[in-house]
Amino acid sequence: MRIKRLIFGERSLTKIAGVFASKSLAESVVVRLKQAASLDDPQVYLVGPQDGAAVGSAAFSRKLEPEQAGIWRTLIRAHVVFGVAGVIAGALLYLVFRAADNVAVESTPGMSLAVMLFFGGIGGLLVGGLMTARPDHYRVISAVRRAVRRGRWAVVIHPITQRQIDVAMRELRARSVRVVRSL
């Protein structure tokens, strides 16, 4: 968990959504979830057809990604952590080639080190970019978008603790048409 906190700047690293056929059922689940899982208002959102599922809809975006400042912190942290890790991996690879008496590395040691550090850093930055994009969130966002476009309602939860995740999953599985969650 400490590694996740080092990389990600959001408080809630998991998104959970349940899809409902009616607004009244979704609202009752919101009330139940807040009580059962001890969730605060900014952790639970009701998303419906009025929010608009179009790309760029402000209401839709705020409910699915409420921690905008956290996303920027994630962007910076992920790139720094993985960029440095990539440079270290490049240096270790260089040392392995030197220890193995690789002819190419032995003949141009300075250039070989620079190339391995450069490509290690670039590789790390690419991984940092992937972590910032949060591909695991796409599953939740696309499922909610499809549901809203079909006139259904979704309850989106941004849990902070494992207990909140467990309670939310249990409640949503018992009452919703479909449940999706990110990692």
Side-chain angles (χ1 to χ4, degrees):
M1 193 64 161
R2 290 180 115 168
I3 293 174
K4 283 183 179 180
R5 293 288 172 208
L6 176 69
I7 297 167
F8 298 106
E10 298 110 321
R11 285 182 55 224
S12 173
L13 300 179
T14 302
K15 288 188 189 324
I16 304 170
V19 176
F20 298 88
S22 71
K23 182 179 181 180
S24 60
L25 180 57
E27 287 174 334
S28 68
V29 169
V30 166
V31 171
R32 172 76 182 122
L33 275 170
K34 285 181 181 179
Q35 293 170 349
S38 302
L39 295 165
D40 297 327
D41 286 342
Q43 290 180 273
V44 183
Y45 291 95
L46 182 62
V47 183
Q50 82 284 357
D51 293 313
V55 175
S57 166
F60 186 80
S61 296
R62 268 192 310 276
K63 291 180 178 183
L64 273 299
E65 294 287 355
E67 296 184 64
Q68 295 299 314
I71 292 170
W72 283 102
R73 284 192 299 272
T74 296
L75 182 133
I76 293 166
R77 289 179 185 180
H79 281 85
V80 168
V81 168
F82 286 107
V84 169
V87 168
I88 291 169
L92 292 174
L93 184 63
Y94 173 78
L95 292 175
V96 168
F97 278 117
R98 283 296 298 245
D101 293 326
N102 182 281
V103 176
V105 172
E106 291 292 330
S107 65
T108 57
M111 182 64 78
S112 297
L113 176 62
V115 166
M116 290 184 193
L117 292 177
F118 175 78
F119 283 111
I122 293 296
L125 291 173
L126 288 170
V127 171
L130 181 63
M131 292 293 110
T132 301
R134 299 300 302 266
D136 60 315
H137 287 192
Y138 179 74
R139 259 185 65 203
V140 176
I141 293 168
S142 64
V144 170
R145 182 173 282 132
R146 276 193 307 274
V148 169
R149 284 183 180 155
R150 292 179 181 149
R152 293 185 171 185
W153 293 80
V155 175
V156 180
I157 300 125
H158 305 278
I160 297 172
T161 66
Q162 186 60 46
R163 181 186 168 281
Q164 289 177 340
I165 293 170
D166 295 340
V167 171
M169 290 298 291
R170 186 177 59 246
E171 292 293 325
L172 289 175
R173 283 186 179 135
R175 293 175 174 80
S176 68
V177 174
R178 180 174 182 214
V179 178
V180 290
R181 97 169 247 197
S182 66
L183 299 176

